[in-house]
Amino acid sequence: MTAQSYSAVIRRYGEPLSVEEVEILEPDPGEVVVRIEASGVCHSDLSLARGYYPDIPIPIVPGHEGAGTVVEVGDDVTSVKKGDKVFTIWMASCYNCEYCLSGRFHLCENALESIVNASLPSGKLKIRDKAGNSIHHFTSTAALSSYTVVHEKNVVKLTVDVSLEKAAILGCAVLTGVGAALKTANVKEGSTVAVIGLGGVGMNIVQGARLAGAEKIIAIDIYDSKLEWATKFGATHLINALKEDPVEAVKKVGGGGVDYSFEATGNVVAMELAYKIAKRGGVVTIVGVEKGGVNIRIPALDLHMTEKTIKGCYYGSSSPRLDSLKYLRLYKAGKLLLDELVTRSYRLEEINEVFKDMEEGRIIRGVVVP
Ligand SMILES: [Zn+2]
Ligand SMILES: [Zn+2]
């Protein structure tokens, strides 16, 4: 059976999205249809709409933080059944390539291929517009929809009692942010940390650093409202980069710099700032997504003499299936905040408004309830 869905569609990069009635084709073996009941809007959905990934084909349905109910299953599906509550993850790790076999599921080369092609893992496109033309699936999930068809590898069954609105943001913001601190950078107890950019990912880096037992956590942003909010997640020092020189301010708090600096804005200036505020021997983790073709400038002699480490961070170096359920248990134990991450709910028709609120720093995470 095919399903009718309302979906946000990017038809042209740099232009407002449309919300369209589309058809979701029936699942092949291994695939499921999910009725999406909540879908977080991530900065990379916004970056996609702005045209930051010009090689990703359009038209495309964005969205990768979906949560909802499985309404149909294809043959050979084993991990979920009809009626299960699930949330999406945006790597359909194959469990078979050299990366998966070495436990680095977030680097799976086969999942990456479907992300680049903006298709399902099978390579197929299963969304049709009214004229019958195919539409692409962002990160194989296309979750900014009322229904979506995904491979079962792209969903995790919700085994903990939590609302779908909260579960939705596990799939990217929490996995990426908490993972950046705990797994990519491996923040040590008693260390100093600075986080630049306090969106959904940045706030989770702050709370990841808190979970790791960092002694000082410096939050840096240009909005006072977000800075204040960061104290809930564990920030111990706040710097408004418009009001004071962040390099000097961090040096003062961190005694010359921090052990771990993180960039979570997707802006190259912030990435270079992250390098500057790390102390000698420090670890610089670049989490944000810049436009294709932009380069970070690092002073070569300084890099030699300070022995800093610069790390890229993809999906928080997570094992998405395992780590997301671990973070849910931490939430249930009162150790990880989820409720405080969702600032506002929107209807799908308001998708362009969510993007505007993100750009103007009004929300941490907006969740669309289709
Ligand atoms: Zn995301
Ligand atoms: Zn793989």
mmCIF file with all atom_site columns, all heavy atoms in Angstrom, residues 92-101 104-105 107-111, ligand 2:
data_model
loop_
_atom_site.group_PDB
_atom_site.id
_atom_site.type_symbol
_atom_site.label_atom_id
_atom_site.label_alt_id
_atom_site.label_comp_id
_atom_site.label_asym_id
_atom_site.label_entity_id
_atom_site.label_seq_id
_atom_site.pdbx_PDB_ins_code
_atom_site.Cartn_x
_atom_site.Cartn_y
_atom_site.Cartn_z
_atom_site.occupancy
_atom_site.B_iso_or_equiv
_atom_site.pdbx_formal_charge
_atom_site.auth_seq_id
_atom_site.auth_comp_id
_atom_site.auth_asym_id
_atom_site.auth_atom_id
_atom_site.pdbx_PDB_model_num
ATOM   1   N  N   . ALA A 1 92  ? 22.598 4.473  7.928  1.00 0.00 ? 92  ALA A N   1
ATOM   2   C  CA  . ALA A 1 92  ? 22.139 3.090  7.810  1.00 0.00 ? 92  ALA A CA  1
ATOM   3   C  C   . ALA A 1 92  ? 23.382 2.205  7.708  1.00 0.00 ? 92  ALA A C   1
ATOM   4   O  O   . ALA A 1 92  ? 23.676 1.632  6.656  1.00 0.00 ? 92  ALA A O   1
ATOM   5   C  CB  . ALA A 1 92  ? 21.252 2.929  6.584  1.00 0.00 ? 92  ALA A CB  1
ATOM   6   N  N   . SER A 1 93  ? 24.124 2.117  8.797  1.00 0.00 ? 93  SER A N   1
ATOM   7   C  CA  . SER A 1 93  ? 25.405 1.399  8.776  1.00 0.00 ? 93  SER A CA  1
ATOM   8   C  C   . SER A 1 93  ? 25.210 -0.026 8.262  1.00 0.00 ? 93  SER A C   1
ATOM   9   O  O   . SER A 1 93  ? 24.254 -0.709 8.644  1.00 0.00 ? 93  SER A O   1
ATOM   10  C  CB  . SER A 1 93  ? 25.998 1.370  10.184 1.00 0.00 ? 93  SER A CB  1
ATOM   11  O  OG  . SER A 1 93  ? 26.039 2.695  10.708 1.00 0.00 ? 93  SER A OG  1
ATOM   12  N  N   . CYS A 1 94  ? 26.137 -0.458 7.404  1.00 0.00 ? 94  CYS A N   1
ATOM   13  C  CA  . CYS A 1 94  ? 25.937 -1.730 6.695  1.00 0.00 ? 94  CYS A CA  1
ATOM   14  C  C   . CYS A 1 94  ? 26.381 -2.941 7.508  1.00 0.00 ? 94  CYS A C   1
ATOM   15  O  O   . CYS A 1 94  ? 26.026 -4.068 7.196  1.00 0.00 ? 94  CYS A O   1
ATOM   16  C  CB  . CYS A 1 94  ? 26.673 -1.695 5.354  1.00 0.00 ? 94  CYS A CB  1
ATOM   17  S  SG  . CYS A 1 94  ? 28.476 -1.833 5.505  1.00 0.00 ? 94  CYS A SG  1
ATOM   18  N  N   . TYR A 1 95  ? 27.201 -2.711 8.530  1.00 0.00 ? 95  TYR A N   1
ATOM   19  C  CA  . TYR A 1 95  ? 27.766 -3.782 9.380  1.00 0.00 ? 95  TYR A CA  1
ATOM   20  C  C   . TYR A 1 95  ? 28.660 -4.730 8.583  1.00 0.00 ? 95  TYR A C   1
ATOM   21  O  O   . TYR A 1 95  ? 28.881 -5.861 8.977  1.00 0.00 ? 95  TYR A O   1
ATOM   22  C  CB  . TYR A 1 95  ? 26.663 -4.571 10.114 1.00 0.00 ? 95  TYR A CB  1
ATOM   23  C  CG  . TYR A 1 95  ? 25.694 -3.662 10.835 1.00 0.00 ? 95  TYR A CG  1
ATOM   24  C  CD1 . TYR A 1 95  ? 24.356 -3.604 10.476 1.00 0.00 ? 95  TYR A CD1 1
ATOM   25  C  CD2 . TYR A 1 95  ? 26.139 -2.827 11.865 1.00 0.00 ? 95  TYR A CD2 1
ATOM   26  C  CE1 . TYR A 1 95  ? 23.477 -2.729 11.110 1.00 0.00 ? 95  TYR A CE1 1
ATOM   27  C  CE2 . TYR A 1 95  ? 25.269 -1.958 12.493 1.00 0.00 ? 95  TYR A CE2 1
ATOM   28  C  CZ  . TYR A 1 95  ? 23.952 -1.920 12.121 1.00 0.00 ? 95  TYR A CZ  1
ATOM   29  O  OH  . TYR A 1 95  ? 23.092 -1.046 12.743 1.00 0.00 ? 95  TYR A OH  1
ATOM   30  N  N   . ASN A 1 96  ? 29.153 -4.261 7.479  1.00 0.00 ? 96  ASN A N   1
ATOM   31  C  CA  . ASN A 1 96  ? 29.902 -5.152 6.604  1.00 0.00 ? 96  ASN A CA  1
ATOM   32  C  C   . ASN A 1 96  ? 31.166 -4.531 6.023  1.00 0.00 ? 96  ASN A C   1
ATOM   33  O  O   . ASN A 1 96  ? 32.044 -5.250 5.563  1.00 0.00 ? 96  ASN A O   1
ATOM   34  C  CB  . ASN A 1 96  ? 28.971 -5.591 5.461  1.00 0.00 ? 96  ASN A CB  1
ATOM   35  C  CG  . ASN A 1 96  ? 29.274 -6.984 4.977  1.00 0.00 ? 96  ASN A CG  1
ATOM   36  O  OD1 . ASN A 1 96  ? 29.967 -7.737 5.667  1.00 0.00 ? 96  ASN A OD1 1
ATOM   37  N  ND2 . ASN A 1 96  ? 28.794 -7.324 3.793  1.00 0.00 ? 96  ASN A ND2 1
ATOM   38  N  N   . CYS A 1 97  ? 31.272 -3.186 6.009  1.00 0.00 ? 97  CYS A N   1
ATOM   39  C  CA  . CYS A 1 97  ? 32.444 -2.549 5.391  1.00 0.00 ? 97  CYS A CA  1
ATOM   40  C  C   . CYS A 1 97  ? 33.586 -2.492 6.408  1.00 0.00 ? 97  CYS A C   1
ATOM   41  O  O   . CYS A 1 97  ? 33.405 -2.836 7.577  1.00 0.00 ? 97  CYS A O   1
ATOM   42  C  CB  . CYS A 1 97  ? 32.093 -1.148 4.881  1.00 0.00 ? 97  CYS A CB  1
ATOM   43  S  SG  . CYS A 1 97  ? 31.792 0.070  6.185  1.00 0.00 ? 97  CYS A SG  1
ATOM   44  N  N   . GLU A 1 98  ? 34.759 -2.029 5.993  1.00 0.00 ? 98  GLU A N   1
ATOM   45  C  CA  . GLU A 1 98  ? 35.906 -2.042 6.910  1.00 0.00 ? 98  GLU A CA  1
ATOM   46  C  C   . GLU A 1 98  ? 35.644 -1.154 8.126  1.00 0.00 ? 98  GLU A C   1
ATOM   47  O  O   . GLU A 1 98  ? 36.128 -1.437 9.224  1.00 0.00 ? 98  GLU A O   1
ATOM   48  C  CB  . GLU A 1 98  ? 37.197 -1.630 6.188  1.00 0.00 ? 98  GLU A CB  1
ATOM   49  C  CG  . GLU A 1 98  ? 37.330 -0.147 5.941  1.00 0.00 ? 98  GLU A CG  1
ATOM   50  C  CD  . GLU A 1 98  ? 38.736 0.279  5.527  1.00 0.00 ? 98  GLU A CD  1
ATOM   51  O  OE1 . GLU A 1 98  ? 39.558 0.578  6.416  1.00 0.00 ? 98  GLU A OE1 1
ATOM   52  O  OE2 . GLU A 1 98  ? 38.975 0.321  4.317  1.00 0.00 ? 98  GLU A OE2 1
ATOM   53  N  N   . TYR A 1 99  ? 34.870 -0.060 7.948  1.00 0.00 ? 99  TYR A N   1
ATOM   54  C  CA  . TYR A 1 99  ? 34.602 0.843  9.070  1.00 0.00 ? 99  TYR A CA  1
ATOM   55  C  C   . TYR A 1 99  ? 33.655 0.187  10.062 1.00 0.00 ? 99  TYR A C   1
ATOM   56  O  O   . TYR A 1 99  ? 33.873 0.223  11.274 1.00 0.00 ? 99  TYR A O   1
ATOM   57  C  CB  . TYR A 1 99  ? 34.029 2.169  8.554  1.00 0.00 ? 99  TYR A CB  1
ATOM   58  C  CG  . TYR A 1 99  ? 35.018 2.872  7.661  1.00 0.00 ? 99  TYR A CG  1
ATOM   59  C  CD1 . TYR A 1 99  ? 34.923 2.793  6.266  1.00 0.00 ? 99  TYR A CD1 1
ATOM   60  C  CD2 . TYR A 1 99  ? 36.091 3.563  8.213  1.00 0.00 ? 99  TYR A CD2 1
ATOM   61  C  CE1 . TYR A 1 99  ? 35.852 3.409  5.449  1.00 0.00 ? 99  TYR A CE1 1
ATOM   62  C  CE2 . TYR A 1 99  ? 37.027 4.180  7.402  1.00 0.00 ? 99  TYR A CE2 1
ATOM   63  C  CZ  . TYR A 1 99  ? 36.906 4.098  6.017  1.00 0.00 ? 99  TYR A CZ  1
ATOM   64  O  OH  . TYR A 1 99  ? 37.841 4.693  5.221  1.00 0.00 ? 99  TYR A OH  1
ATOM   65  N  N   . CYS A 1 100 ? 32.569 -0.400 9.530  1.00 0.00 ? 100 CYS A N   1
ATOM   66  C  CA  . CYS A 1 100 ? 31.626 -1.072 10.429 1.00 0.00 ? 100 CYS A CA  1
ATOM   67  C  C   . CYS A 1 100 ? 32.299 -2.243 11.144 1.00 0.00 ? 100 CYS A C   1
ATOM   68  O  O   . CYS A 1 100 ? 32.115 -2.437 12.344 1.00 0.00 ? 100 CYS A O   1
ATOM   69  C  CB  . CYS A 1 100 ? 30.409 -1.564 9.644  1.00 0.00 ? 100 CYS A CB  1
ATOM   70  S  SG  . CYS A 1 100 ? 29.311 -0.235 9.130  1.00 0.00 ? 100 CYS A SG  1
ATOM   71  N  N   . LEU A 1 101 ? 33.105 -2.986 10.398 1.00 0.00 ? 101 LEU A N   1
ATOM   72  C  CA  . LEU A 1 101 ? 33.737 -4.167 11.009 1.00 0.00 ? 101 LEU A CA  1
ATOM   73  C  C   . LEU A 1 101 ? 34.748 -3.775 12.078 1.00 0.00 ? 101 LEU A C   1
ATOM   74  O  O   . LEU A 1 101 ? 35.112 -4.588 12.922 1.00 0.00 ? 101 LEU A O   1
ATOM   75  C  CB  . LEU A 1 101 ? 34.381 -5.041 9.925  1.00 0.00 ? 101 LEU A CB  1
ATOM   76  C  CG  . LEU A 1 101 ? 33.361 -5.751 9.018  1.00 0.00 ? 101 LEU A CG  1
ATOM   77  C  CD1 . LEU A 1 101 ? 34.067 -6.467 7.865  1.00 0.00 ? 101 LEU A CD1 1
ATOM   78  C  CD2 . LEU A 1 101 ? 32.517 -6.749 9.807  1.00 0.00 ? 101 LEU A CD2 1
ATOM   79  N  N   . ARG A 1 104 ? 33.423 1.373  13.759 1.00 0.00 ? 104 ARG A N   1
ATOM   80  C  CA  . ARG A 1 104 ? 33.226 2.806  13.486 1.00 0.00 ? 104 ARG A CA  1
ATOM   81  C  C   . ARG A 1 104 ? 32.007 2.971  12.562 1.00 0.00 ? 104 ARG A C   1
ATOM   82  O  O   . ARG A 1 104 ? 32.131 3.338  11.406 1.00 0.00 ? 104 ARG A O   1
ATOM   83  C  CB  . ARG A 1 104 ? 34.505 3.386  12.869 1.00 0.00 ? 104 ARG A CB  1
ATOM   84  C  CG  . ARG A 1 104 ? 35.658 3.388  13.869 1.00 0.00 ? 104 ARG A CG  1
ATOM   85  C  CD  . ARG A 1 104 ? 36.966 3.785  13.239 1.00 0.00 ? 104 ARG A CD  1
ATOM   86  N  NE  . ARG A 1 104 ? 37.410 2.785  12.263 1.00 0.00 ? 104 ARG A NE  1
ATOM   87  C  CZ  . ARG A 1 104 ? 38.402 2.985  11.409 1.00 0.00 ? 104 ARG A CZ  1
ATOM   88  N  NH1 . ARG A 1 104 ? 39.057 4.137  11.399 1.00 0.00 ? 104 ARG A NH1 1
ATOM   89  N  NH2 . ARG A 1 104 ? 38.753 2.045  10.566 1.00 0.00 ? 104 ARG A NH2 1
ATOM   90  N  N   . PHE A 1 105 ? 30.837 2.684  13.148 1.00 0.00 ? 105 PHE A N   1
ATOM   91  C  CA  . PHE A 1 105 ? 29.595 2.651  12.371 1.00 0.00 ? 105 PHE A CA  1
ATOM   92  C  C   . PHE A 1 105 ? 29.264 4.013  11.749 1.00 0.00 ? 105 PHE A C   1
ATOM   93  O  O   . PHE A 1 105 ? 28.620 4.083  10.713 1.00 0.00 ? 105 PHE A O   1
ATOM   94  C  CB  . PHE A 1 105 ? 28.439 2.182  13.259 1.00 0.00 ? 105 PHE A CB  1
ATOM   95  C  CG  . PHE A 1 105 ? 28.698 0.844  13.880 1.00 0.00 ? 105 PHE A CG  1
ATOM   96  C  CD1 . PHE A 1 105 ? 29.008 0.731  15.223 1.00 0.00 ? 105 PHE A CD1 1
ATOM   97  C  CD2 . PHE A 1 105 ? 28.672 -0.308 13.108 1.00 0.00 ? 105 PHE A CD2 1
ATOM   98  C  CE1 . PHE A 1 105 ? 29.269 -0.503 15.796 1.00 0.00 ? 105 PHE A CE1 1
ATOM   99  C  CE2 . PHE A 1 105 ? 28.925 -1.556 13.668 1.00 0.00 ? 105 PHE A CE2 1
ATOM   100 C  CZ  . PHE A 1 105 ? 29.228 -1.644 15.010 1.00 0.00 ? 105 PHE A CZ  1
ATOM   101 N  N   . LEU A 1 107 ? 31.225 5.951  10.346 1.00 0.00 ? 107 LEU A N   1
ATOM   102 C  CA  . LEU A 1 107 ? 32.026 6.204  9.141  1.00 0.00 ? 107 LEU A CA  1
ATOM   103 C  C   . LEU A 1 107 ? 31.676 5.231  8.012  1.00 0.00 ? 107 LEU A C   1
ATOM   104 O  O   . LEU A 1 107 ? 32.361 5.206  6.987  1.00 0.00 ? 107 LEU A O   1
ATOM   105 C  CB  . LEU A 1 107 ? 33.531 6.101  9.468  1.00 0.00 ? 107 LEU A CB  1
ATOM   106 C  CG  . LEU A 1 107 ? 34.075 7.162  10.431 1.00 0.00 ? 107 LEU A CG  1
ATOM   107 C  CD1 . LEU A 1 107 ? 35.573 6.946  10.665 1.00 0.00 ? 107 LEU A CD1 1
ATOM   108 C  CD2 . LEU A 1 107 ? 33.854 8.578  9.890  1.00 0.00 ? 107 LEU A CD2 1
ATOM   109 N  N   . CYS A 1 108 ? 30.611 4.467  8.191  1.00 0.00 ? 108 CYS A N   1
ATOM   110 C  CA  . CYS A 1 108 ? 30.232 3.449  7.195  1.00 0.00 ? 108 CYS A CA  1
ATOM   111 C  C   . CYS A 1 108 ? 30.239 4.037  5.776  1.00 0.00 ? 108 CYS A C   1
ATOM   112 O  O   . CYS A 1 108 ? 29.560 5.016  5.488  1.00 0.00 ? 108 CYS A O   1
ATOM   113 C  CB  . CYS A 1 108 ? 28.841 2.905  7.513  1.00 0.00 ? 108 CYS A CB  1
ATOM   114 S  SG  . CYS A 1 108 ? 28.213 1.813  6.218  1.00 0.00 ? 108 CYS A SG  1
ATOM   115 N  N   . GLU A 1 109 ? 31.005 3.404  4.886  1.00 0.00 ? 109 GLU A N   1
ATOM   116 C  CA  . GLU A 1 109 ? 31.117 3.982  3.538  1.00 0.00 ? 109 GLU A CA  1
ATOM   117 C  C   . GLU A 1 109 ? 29.867 3.724  2.704  1.00 0.00 ? 109 GLU A C   1
ATOM   118 O  O   . GLU A 1 109 ? 29.548 4.513  1.812  1.00 0.00 ? 109 GLU A O   1
ATOM   119 C  CB  . GLU A 1 109 ? 32.377 3.487  2.826  1.00 0.00 ? 109 GLU A CB  1
ATOM   120 C  CG  . GLU A 1 109 ? 32.504 1.989  2.732  1.00 0.00 ? 109 GLU A CG  1
ATOM   121 C  CD  . GLU A 1 109 ? 33.896 1.573  2.259  1.00 0.00 ? 109 GLU A CD  1
ATOM   122 O  OE1 . GLU A 1 109 ? 34.757 2.444  2.061  1.00 0.00 ? 109 GLU A OE1 1
ATOM   123 O  OE2 . GLU A 1 109 ? 34.107 0.358  2.092  1.00 0.00 ? 109 GLU A OE2 1
ATOM   124 N  N   . ASN A 1 110 ? 29.147 2.659  3.008  1.00 0.00 ? 110 ASN A N   1
ATOM   125 C  CA  . ASN A 1 110 ? 27.927 2.396  2.244  1.00 0.00 ? 110 ASN A CA  1
ATOM   126 C  C   . ASN A 1 110 ? 26.792 3.339  2.647  1.00 0.00 ? 110 ASN A C   1
ATOM   127 O  O   . ASN A 1 110 ? 26.041 3.823  1.795  1.00 0.00 ? 110 ASN A O   1
ATOM   128 C  CB  . ASN A 1 110 ? 27.509 0.935  2.404  1.00 0.00 ? 110 ASN A CB  1
ATOM   129 C  CG  . ASN A 1 110 ? 28.509 0.015  1.715  1.00 0.00 ? 110 ASN A CG  1
ATOM   130 O  OD1 . ASN A 1 110 ? 28.807 0.202  0.535  1.00 0.00 ? 110 ASN A OD1 1
ATOM   131 N  ND2 . ASN A 1 110 ? 29.065 -0.934 2.441  1.00 0.00 ? 110 ASN A ND2 1
ATOM   132 N  N   . ALA A 1 111 ? 26.688 3.604  3.951  1.00 0.00 ? 111 ALA A N   1
ATOM   133 C  CA  . ALA A 1 111 ? 25.678 4.571  4.394  1.00 0.00 ? 111 ALA A CA  1
ATOM   134 C  C   . ALA A 1 111 ? 25.988 5.950  3.813  1.00 0.00 ? 111 ALA A C   1
ATOM   135 O  O   . ALA A 1 111 ? 25.091 6.683  3.393  1.00 0.00 ? 111 ALA A O   1
ATOM   136 C  CB  . ALA A 1 111 ? 25.645 4.642  5.919  1.00 0.00 ? 111 ALA A CB  1
HETATM 137 ZN ZN  . ZN  B 2 .   ? 29.511 -0.111 6.789  1.00 0.00 ? 2   ZN  B ZN  1
#
